[in-house]
Amino acid sequence: MSELTEKIKKIFTDEKLDILIGYEKGSLPLRGTPCFIESAEDADKLIFDSTCHNNLAKYLTDQKKTEVDARKIGIVVKGCDARAVVQLVVEKQFERENIVIIGVPCKGVIDPSKLRAKLRDKEISDFRFDGNKIIVSGENFQETFDKNELLSDGCLSCKYPNAPQYDYFIGDPAEPIASKDEYADIDEFEKKPPDERWEYFEKEYGKCIRCYACRNACPMCYCEQCFVDCSMPQWIGKGGNLSDKMIFHIVRAMHLAGRCVDCGACAAACPLNIDVRLLGKRIEREVAERFDFTAGMDFETPPALATFREDDKQEFIM
Amino acid sequence: MATDKNNDFTPNIIGFLCNWCTYTGADLAGTSRLQYPPSILPIRVMCSSRVDPLFLISSILRGADAVLVGGCHPGDCHYQKGNYYTRRRFALLKKVFDTFGLESDRIRLSWISASEGPRFAQVVTEYTGKIKELGPNKYAEEVFL
Ligand code: SF4
Ligand code: SF4
Ligand code: SF4
Ligand code: FES
């Protein structure tokens, strides 16, 4: 029995949990999958490693949509997931007392879309971790990747690999990977002339088929009716117009301003590997620099866009 | 519609004007018979904070040449805090426009009170001039039409 399962069994019993949300081994190699544990014995199947990329906080809000839920829920969280949970509590999506936050140290998670891109159409049947390497194999091939090549972009510059708020923490806190400056990509991008920037977004968002997987994977997108699904009024059309695609992406990013925790769940969910991160990261930076706010760090600070200061800068107002 | 930056181009500016201040200011400009260019299409909203970023983005990407949001001066919002929230949102939206390489001058937030009829006329005149300089919204054709 691993330290994780042993401790979680104890927590399950001590806290009288009704359900615990964690990860188990997935049916595909390198894809841990979310699982729901309803009894302490069940906890044996729990795992946590770099294959556990989903943001489990998503399930907390999904549940709330369907019923009034007073169950006591335990949740296994990486740093970013924990921040999502905290932010959701701040936004009053559920009662703090009903949630038991169990932090685990995160060493970065594999982005399935990066893996897809690397493997092209080869199928892997097995993998193992060897320090900072991942060795994957399948029929007639074996390949070794640097872990960093496959990690989510957010993980490479993540500053909070451990839950900033938790009830229990299992394991030793992880060191941030910090192989990359957080805003390096943005600095690079902003050196481009405006036309090229527009072209970049045109090319990226132009690919979007509006399956809304990015929205559905995001723990912060919990609206009962998303603006894209409204038919009265219909804010955006259903067809393939670039303007509709652009409006979806910009408005979604605005709705996540000061709330996104850069967990990468949206990017990982996109079947077309669209860059849904850059814009969100740019907004996150502006929120941090202008309003001195980082989402999901504590239960007290009001979200940046739900508060104000009378002397907020207004250099852009004429 | 003229396509270059000459004088017969009259921009289409959508105005989202707060009922309690800018809209009344616009009325005052009218009843005082102040002259300003016929470039603005006013839409009355109950507070500047009612203006969802969606309205601005949609207007620009669907062909408006510019959007003017008018609200009460800080401290004067009829609902006390609305315009402070508007200000924060607007700051981010400007940044999004810049990031996209969209001309962020095509969206503007101004505080204009109910008694500032002349200021309303002056803002519309000045902003119309500015948008004339920028020319027609080039994204309109590229994106939608
Ligand atoms: S995109 Fe906006 S409206 Fe849609 S679910 Fe997310 S936050 Fe809600
Ligand atoms: S927008 Fe993407 S990165 Fe941000 S919280 Fe949602 S899923 Fe995570
Ligand atoms: S997941 Fe990708 S294709 Fe689907 S709506 Fe989001 S960006 Fe578009
Ligand atoms: S009522 Fe005028 S800005 Fe709020």
Side-chain angles (χ1 to χ4, degrees):
Chain A
M1 204 161 41
S2 70
E3 187 195 2
L4 180 76
T5 54
E6 194 180 323
K7 294 213 164 134
I8 287 195
K9 280 183 179 178
K10 184 159 174 0
I11 296 169
F12 201 100
T13 321
D14 292 353
E15 294 276 357
K16 300 196 180 58
L17 294 182
D18 294 302
I19 193 163
L20 177 124
I21 311 172
Y23 302 94
E24 66 180 330
K25 196 164 166 295
S27 50
L28 292 172
L30 281 176
R31 298 287 294 263
T33 203
C35 73
F36 302 86
I37 304 284
E38 287 179 289
S39 70
E41 303 82 71
D42 230 13
D44 280 328
K45 64 179 175 194
L46 287 173
I47 60 161
F48 181 75
D49 57 27
S50 292
T51 66
C52 302
H53 76 84
N54 297 63
N55 188 333
L56 301 181
K58 177 71 195 169
Y59 296 106
L60 297 175
T61 52
D62 262 3
Q63 194 54 41
K64 293 291 148 186
K65 276 187 197 166
T66 51
E67 58 191 89
V68 180
D69 192 347
R71 283 180 302 176
K72 192 146 194 196
I73 305 177
I75 181 166
V76 176
V77 288
K78 310 184 280 284
C80 51
D81 308 349
R83 288 173 54 212
V85 175
V86 172
Q87 181 69 21
L88 290 168
V89 170
V90 172
E91 294 177 9
K92 302 199 169 49
Q93 291 309 301
F94 36 77
E95 299 296 328
R96 170 73 183 93
E97 304 81 67
N98 293 343
I99 308 289
V100 176
I101 306 175
I102 306 166
V104 285
C106 179
K107 299 195 173 72
V109 292
I110 293 167
D111 180 342
S113 60
K114 288 198 186 175
L115 185 64
R116 264 200 306 273
K118 285 255 187 254
L119 289 173
R120 310 210 176 227
D121 34 19
K122 281 181 282 189
E123 232 178 274
I124 48 172
S125 54
D126 206 5
F127 71 94
R128 75 193 147 82
F129 291 102
D130 183 3
N132 267 335
K133 302 260 182 253
I134 302 176
I135 301 145
V136 299
S137 55
E139 219 173 304
N140 305 326
F141 81 97
Q142 173 165 359
E143 269 188 70
T144 307
F145 299 118
D146 252 347
K147 204 170 147 195
N148 280 5
E149 291 176 83
L150 294 180
L151 291 186
S152 247
D153 284 330
C155 300
L156 296 174
S157 59
C158 170
K159 288 195 289 194
Y160 312 103
N162 310 296
Q165 306 285 337
Y166 54 81
D167 299 299
Y168 299 92
F169 196 89
I170 302 178
D172 299 320
E175 286 298 320
I177 301 174
S179 71
K180 197 169 166 186
D181 175 68
E182 195 177 7
Y183 299 129
D185 292 344
I186 294 173
D187 287 336
E188 205 46 49
F189 185 72
E190 290 191 338
K191 282 189 205 140
K192 295 184 190 181
D195 283 351
E196 277 179 38
R197 297 208 293 271
W198 170 259
E199 267 165 40
Y200 179 77
F201 283 109
E202 195 172 2
K203 172 174 108 335
E204 283 299 309
Y205 296 165
K207 291 186 282 189
C208 178
I209 54 172
R210 286 195 287 145
C211 62
Y212 304 132
C214 50
R215 172 199 68 184
N216 286 19
C218 174
M220 310 315 292
C221 269
Y222 53 72
C223 302
E224 277 179 29
Q225 190 181 37
C226 178
F227 77 100
V228 301
D229 299 324
C230 260
S231 50
M232 291 264 279
Q234 188 181 47
W235 299 113
I236 62 175
K238 305 278 183 207
N241 279 318
L242 183 58
S243 61
D244 289 330
K245 297 176 184 180
M246 288 276 182
I247 291 170
F248 165 59
H249 282 279
I250 301 178
V251 174
R252 191 181 91 88
M254 284 298 291
H255 287 179
L256 290 157
R259 308 171 58 235
C260 168
V261 294
D262 201 12
C263 64
C266 47
C270 179
L272 290 147
N273 298 351
I274 292 170
D275 180 358
V276 288
R277 179 165 182 262
L278 184 71
L279 182 59
K281 198 69 187 164
R282 183 63 194 91
I283 296 180
E284 177 200 292
R285 179 186 203 170
E286 192 67 9
V287 168
E289 291 175 355
R290 208 173 241 280
F291 308 132
D292 191 23
F293 180 79
T294 305
M297 298 305 287
D298 62 64
F299 294 105
E300 291 79 36
T301 319
L305 291 194
T307 186
F308 61 87
R309 286 167 50 114
E310 280 181 18
D311 60 351
D312 276 334
K313 275 195 292 179
Q314 57 168 5
E315 78 289 354
F316 55 90
I317 296 180
M318 290 175 291
Chain B
M1 189 169 70
T3 44
D4 52 15
K5 302 176 184 181
N6 54 29
N7 285 337
D8 33 303
F9 160 58
T10 308
N12 279 318
I13 303 178
I14 314 260
F16 291 101
L17 312 182
C18 164
N19 173 62
W20 303 101
C21 48
T22 313
Y23 195 85
T24 316
D27 247 1
L28 182 62
T31 47
S32 318
R33 304 201 174 276
L34 298 174
Q35 291 293 318
Y36 58 88
S39 53
I40 186 162
L41 175 78
I43 297 174
R44 176 159 62 160
V45 289
M46 288 311 283
C47 174
S48 64
S49 65
R50 172 63 182 92
V51 184
D52 194 305
L54 171 63
F55 300 173
L56 287 117
I57 296 159
S58 230
S59 306
I60 297 294
L61 290 186
R62 297 203 196 291
D65 295 307
V67 182
L68 170 70
V69 178
C72 313
H73 289 271
D76 289 349
C77 173
H78 191 72
Y79 310 96
Q80 268 111 41
K81 303 189 268 194
N83 50 5
Y84 290 119
Y85 295 127
T86 309
R87 187 167 64 183
R88 284 206 159 190
R89 256 186 255 148
F90 218 88
L92 295 185
L93 197 54
K94 280 263 184 190
K95 194 39 98 184
V96 169
F97 269 65
D98 289 338
T99 308
F100 261 73
L102 288 164
E103 292 148 326
S104 68
D105 281 343
R106 291 191 188 272
I107 55 173
R108 166 170 173 161
L109 175 61
S110 291
W111 308 135
I112 303 168
S113 81
S115 59
E116 292 179 318
R119 173 163 155 76
F120 178 81
Q122 178 233 322
V123 165
V124 175
T125 310
E126 180 200 304
Y127 196 36
T128 304
K130 171 94 208 167
I131 301 304
K132 273 191 172 179
E133 264 169 48
L134 285 178
N137 177 2
K138 61 180 182 209
Y139 303 103
E141 270 163 65
E142 209 176 311
V143 179
F144 197 56
L145 301 174

